[in-house]
Amino acid sequence: MTEFTKRPDGLIVPAGINRRGFLAGTAALGIAAALGSSLVGGEARAQEPKRGGHLKLGLDGGATTDSLDPASYSGSVSFVVGHLWGDTLVESHPETGAPLPSIASSWESSADASVWTFKIRKDIAFHDGRKLAVADVIATLKRHSDEGSKSGALGLMRSVKAIEEKAGDLVLTLTEGNADLPLLLTDYHLIIQPDGGVDNPASPVGTGPYKLASYEAGIRATFEKNTADWRSDRGYVDSVEIIVMNDTTARIAALSSGQVHFINGVEPKTVPLLKRAPRVEILQTSGKGFYSFLMHCDTSPFDNNDLRLALKYAIDRQAILDRVLGGFGTLGNDYPVNENYALAPEGIEQRAYDPDKAAFHYKKSGHDRPILLRTSDAAFPGAVDASVLFQESARKAGIEIEVRREPEDGYWTNVWNVQPFCASYWGGRPTQDSRYSTSYLSSAEWNDTRFKREDFDKLLLQARSELDEAKRKALYHTMALMVRDEGGLILPVFNDYVNAASASLKGFVHDIGNDLSNGYVGSRVWFDS
């Protein structure tokens, strides 16, 4: 069993192994070196963190339909809520995305990466005083593996054949080898709960740095410091308050007036205004998230690939990047992976706005009626504006798009993954395998384009167990082309994460894993006075 130790420079490595040796050893399993969570670089660690204070977060992405059951988490507010009260088995390094110890202190795999053994920390207690045991971890993972759970992690867990305790360790046996398994266990749905949360899935009793004090779905959540927290490098403020602010103007006003210390979902067009506010800082982070428009491949008229191609050629990606994102991002190419992912595809021609090609495929599709696109700024900042730009660029190809603005409250329940053509947003996932398993595997609960292809599923499983990186990269290249040319995803842009904070707030970690410092913003920041 590989034990981890923390060097003076902050690097977490297996005991007795130097940095070069660790890199070489983990490369054999397709895993990058795991760097300590305290080694985040830049200004975030330029000064010693201070403790105390009441942190107020004004966040977009909450709804009255939200639940405290981690299996159901989807919006930004739930994402942050879960990371405040709970922990996963493994975390990821903010700069490299490499796996880091969390509830699991170390792990090792069989030679073919099909059997994984995890040592579980023995010094952790749940908020109610109960000691965390391997049985709690097993029950949690089994709950999210249950076909009836409707968990957002169900697609990731389907490859786990057996979840057992052996000699006091957690042992996971897979249906095939998976070199990325530790990173899959960072998924934010897989928060470890007492007895797996089976009896009460929405009970927010966890092992995280904060205890939930009050909760009003879509309105507010408050937290108090967990004084028995097992970490020393997390949870600097005494209490955290999340105020749901789905309105952009309200968030800006609240930050500018000092009512909150941090806001997310900053629209690029508002950046100049925020920069003029005294003691406000813009926080821009490159990541894996993207803004998109989703078509259900099994629903008319989107079950016609020529119509899907017509719409892909009919969108002006550069216009959306410039006018909606203000340049805070990069162009997308209709597959959900960018250069921030390991083994990202290379050499795929960038799809450009081409009204002539759009018109050709539209005529070939035989469709001649208006196409209804549902949208809301709940989908992503500027989604309504992006939809109108899409409408305008498609009109030049002879395609009529009817833009319908939907209510922000309940958008993720009533529109996304329900209606056949809508605006959407996805945050990043730790690996390409988890990205595709979450929403492109035929059996995935969140297959929101209804892209269901047996040949794609076989490639995904083949890539998952392929330990030769060159062969694995080639498989991912083929998969990207399939999604790009035959899927229901229109991906115009990968967005940078743009947040803003009071200048008194320090320690924000720019994390490529996802927005909001990969969900950890509430427990990573502190006040300088």
Side-chain angles (χ1 to χ4, degrees):
M1 175 68 66
T2 301
E3 295 292 343
F4 287 84
T5 184
K6 189 172 183 178
R7 298 187 342 185
D9 63 2
L11 184 69
I12 292 181
V13 297
I17 300 180
N18 61 24
R19 179 183 176 91
R20 179 173 296 179
F22 183 45
L23 283 167
T26 55
L29 289 179
I31 302 174
L35 302 181
S37 59
S38 62
L39 184 65
V40 299
E43 186 180 351
R45 297 298 182 198
Q47 62 188 93
E48 189 68 21
K50 298 179 181 179
R51 298 186 180 274
H54 178 66
L55 173 65
K56 291 186 177 182
L57 307 172
L59 301 183
D60 173 31
T64 56
T65 53
D66 287 346
S67 166
L68 283 170
D69 178 3
S72 70
Y73 285 174
S74 60
S76 299
V77 171
S78 294
F79 186 47
V80 175
V81 164
H83 280 94
L84 284 167
W85 68 262
D87 292 309
T88 51
L89 276 174
V90 182
E91 294 183 10
S92 61
H93 188 273
E95 295 175 357
T96 67
L100 293 174
S102 181
I103 284 179
S105 61
S106 61
W107 50 83
E108 66 179 10
S109 77
S110 59
D112 64 354
S114 66
V115 179
W116 288 81
T117 303
F118 294 82
K119 281 205 171 297
I120 306 302
R121 297 184 191 273
K122 303 182 185 303
D123 57 345
I124 301 179
F126 289 108
H127 294 159
D128 59 6
R130 281 181 284 178
K131 285 288 187 181
L132 181 144
V134 177
D136 298 305
V137 178
I138 290 173
T140 297
L141 298 183
K142 284 187 174 180
R143 180 168 83 86
H144 291 273
S145 304
D146 190 315
E147 291 293 335
S149 71
K150 297 189 182 302
S151 171
L154 181 59
L156 304 178
M157 297 300 296
R158 281 198 171 102
S159 65
V160 181
K161 182 169 60 175
I163 305 171
E164 306 168 284
E165 180 176 355
K166 294 183 179 180
D169 296 330
L170 171 71
V171 179
L172 302 182
T173 303
L174 313 182
T175 55
E176 68 282 313
N178 190 340
D180 290 333
L181 182 70
L183 284 171
L184 300 190
L185 299 175
T186 68
D187 187 275
Y188 63 96
H189 301 94
L190 301 176
I191 293 173
I192 307 302
Q193 296 174 274
D195 301 320
V198 174
D199 294 332
N200 189 0
S203 173
V205 175
T207 60
Y210 292 91
K211 298 180 180 181
L212 186 71
S214 66
Y215 182 75
E216 297 175 85
I219 300 173
R220 184 185 308 269
T222 61
F223 297 83
E224 297 174 351
K225 183 76 178 76
N226 175 17
T227 57
D229 189 26
W230 57 278
R231 285 159 296 229
S232 61
D233 63 345
R234 200 74 59 82
Y236 300 107
V237 299
D238 293 331
S239 55
V240 180
E241 180 177 359
I242 295 175
I243 305 169
V244 178
M245 296 182 172
N246 290 326
D247 181 75
T248 300
T249 303
R251 290 197 303 279
I252 292 175
L255 179 64
S256 300
S257 63
Q259 296 178 48
V260 299
H261 306 105
F262 176 95
I263 61 174
N264 71 326
V266 173
E267 295 187 20
K269 64 184 179 183
T270 67
V271 169
L273 175 64
L274 275 171
K275 283 184 174 180
R276 292 199 296 269
R279 295 187 58 75
V280 168
E281 294 183 353
I282 303 298
L283 303 169
Q284 178 185 356
T285 307
S286 174
K288 303 172 181 177
F290 56 83
Y291 298 166
S292 60
F293 297 96
L294 307 175
M295 303 173 285
H296 288 182
C297 296
D298 62 356
T299 304
S300 178
F302 309 105
D303 53 355
N304 184 312
N305 194 45
D306 277 299
L307 180 63
R308 298 197 296 268
L309 285 171
L311 290 169
K312 291 174 183 179
Y313 282 114
I315 193 166
D316 190 336
R317 302 160 199 272
Q318 191 65 51
I320 291 177
L321 177 60
D322 295 340
R323 296 168 61 180
V324 177
L325 280 76
F328 289 96
T330 55
L331 293 178
N333 205 14
D334 299 334
Y335 58 92
V337 173
N338 65 0
E339 65 279 1
N340 284 323
Y341 283 88
L343 307 181
E346 297 176 337
I348 297 178
E349 182 182 2
Q350 173 64 52
R351 179 167 283 147
Y353 174 48
D354 192 328
D356 292 335
K357 283 187 178 180
F360 168 80
H361 285 287
Y362 186 63
K363 182 178 180 180
K364 189 176 177 182
S365 75
H367 189 80
D368 59 1
R369 298 177 303 281
I371 298 170
L372 176 60
L373 170 61
R374 300 173 191 270
T375 187
S376 168
D377 283 338
F380 58 82
V384 174
D385 291 341
S387 299
V388 172
L389 284 174
F390 191 3
Q391 180 186 52
E392 292 174 353
S393 61
R395 186 177 294 123
K396 295 177 182 178
I399 302 172
E400 183 179 350
I401 294 178
E402 176 189 345
V403 175
R404 179 178 297 175
R405 186 168 186 167
E406 300 283 354
E408 294 189 20
D409 187 46
Y411 185 83
W412 296 105
T413 303
N414 302 323
V415 179
W416 173 76
N417 210 16
V418 175
Q419 299 297 337
F421 191 29
C422 73
S424 184
Y425 164 73
W426 271 101
R429 289 295 183 271
T431 65
Q432 289 196 62
D433 179 75
S434 58
R435 171 68 281 165
Y436 287 121
S437 296
T438 300
S439 50
Y440 292 89
L441 187 68
S442 294
S443 56
E445 179 68 24
W446 286 355
N447 188 329
D448 54 8
T449 60
R450 308 296 194 269
F451 180 76
K452 299 179 179 181
R453 294 273 301 268
E454 185 177 349
D455 52 352
F456 180 88
D457 294 349
K458 288 180 178 179
L459 287 173
L460 177 61
L461 297 178
Q462 185 180 346
R464 180 180 297 166
S465 58
E466 178 55 69
L467 300 182
D468 183 301
E469 288 196 354
K471 292 179 180 178
R472 199 177 195 201
K473 185 171 184 176
L475 290 168
Y476 283 140
H477 188 279
T478 300
M479 291 162 59
L481 285 174
M482 289 177 69
V483 171
R484 173 184 184 267
D485 296 336
E486 302 171 60
L489 174 68
I490 302 173
L491 199 166
V493 287
F494 285 91
N495 63 293
D496 289 344
Y497 307 129
V498 185
N499 302 306
S502 164
S504 65
L505 201 65
K506 302 298 182 182
F508 181 82
V509 177
H510 294 278
D511 195 318
I512 66 169
N514 216 324
D515 196 6
L516 296 156
S517 196
N518 204 12
Y520 294 103
V521 58
S523 60
R524 282 175 168 172
V525 297
W526 70 86
F527 293 106
D528 66 354
S529 60

